[in-house]
Amino acid sequence: MAEPQYWILVGSAENLEATRAHGFTVQGFKSRHRKKAEAMRPGDRLVYYVTGVQGFAATARVTSDAFEDHTPIWKSKDPKKAAEDYPWRVQIEAEVVLPPGVYLPAEDIALQLHHVQKWPKDHWRLAFQGQLHRIDEHDYELIRTALVQAASRQSVAP
């Protein structure tokens, strides 16, 4: 079996909640990311980065090859792309998921990520422009570990 690939999925809190409402069983990607979606294989990992709050919220494992489906689930915030239906999809299963409204601030770990080092330090947020990015195992493990720690703090909070 091939080594897993790792991906950061950038999206709105609303689209994260749409994925959560479907039990973290399916994830869609915008039309222009067809080739990236088709490169995904079972065993690949996704990290969810939420725009606006600039935080990480979850990780999931890809459990299927990509397929096309136009059932409306996710929405583009760009009014010019209202017809975007995120047609390239994979089945997934949740790994680490923070509670609704809880996020791991990306700023806490961003400068440790290899992916972010392509940009000047003061502009690390540019690493999270666009919906889908390949990352390396180091970055995935760093984010996953921080999410596990954040989740454990949530479960012991008063």
Side-chain angles (χ1 to χ4, degrees):
M1 191 166 122
E3 290 291 314
Q5 300 176 94
Y6 304 93
W7 307 85
I8 288 181
L9 174 64
V10 177
S12 67
E14 293 81 7
N15 282 343
L16 173 68
E17 292 311 312
T19 299
R20 187 189 309 272
H22 282 78
F24 278 89
T25 59
V26 64
Q27 183 58 59
F29 308 103
K30 293 179 179 179
S31 304
R32 69 176 173 265
H33 293 298
R34 177 181 182 168
K35 286 190 184 333
K36 288 180 182 176
E38 289 177 341
M40 290 184 184
R41 297 287 173 259
D44 284 6
R45 300 299 198 279
L46 297 172
V47 171
Y48 288 79
Y49 175 88
V50 181
T51 58
V53 299
Q54 298 176 356
F56 298 106
T59 65
R61 187 171 67 84
V62 175
T63 61
S64 75
D65 288 330
F67 58 94
E68 185 175 359
D69 183 350
H70 295 276
T71 305
I73 297 175
W74 304 275
K75 294 185 175 105
S76 175
K77 286 195 162 203
D78 183 344
K80 292 182 231 151
K81 297 186 178 151
E84 175 65 68
D85 59 4
Y86 298 71
W88 304 108
R89 302 182 183 184
V90 292
Q91 292 176 329
I92 60 171
E93 64 183 21
E95 290 185 322
V96 182
V97 180
L98 296 181
V102 177
Y103 307 99
L104 170 70
E107 193 165 23
D108 291 356
I109 61 172
L111 297 180
Q112 300 171 54
L113 299 173
H114 293 161
H115 174 67
V116 171
Q117 292 171 10
K118 299 171 193 168
W119 289 269
K121 279 185 184 176
D122 292 346
H123 299 286
W124 65 266
R125 290 166 185 82
L126 294 174
F128 302 101
Q129 298 284 320
Q131 187 195 22
L132 195 56
H133 305 276
R134 285 276 308 272
I135 58 171
D136 63 20
E137 184 175 11
H138 164 272
D139 287 2
Y140 170 79
E141 286 299 334
L142 188 71
I143 297 165
R144 188 191 65 76
T145 299
L147 282 167
V148 167
Q149 292 168 348
S152 70
R153 288 193 298 272
Q154 286 298 309
S155 64
V156 298

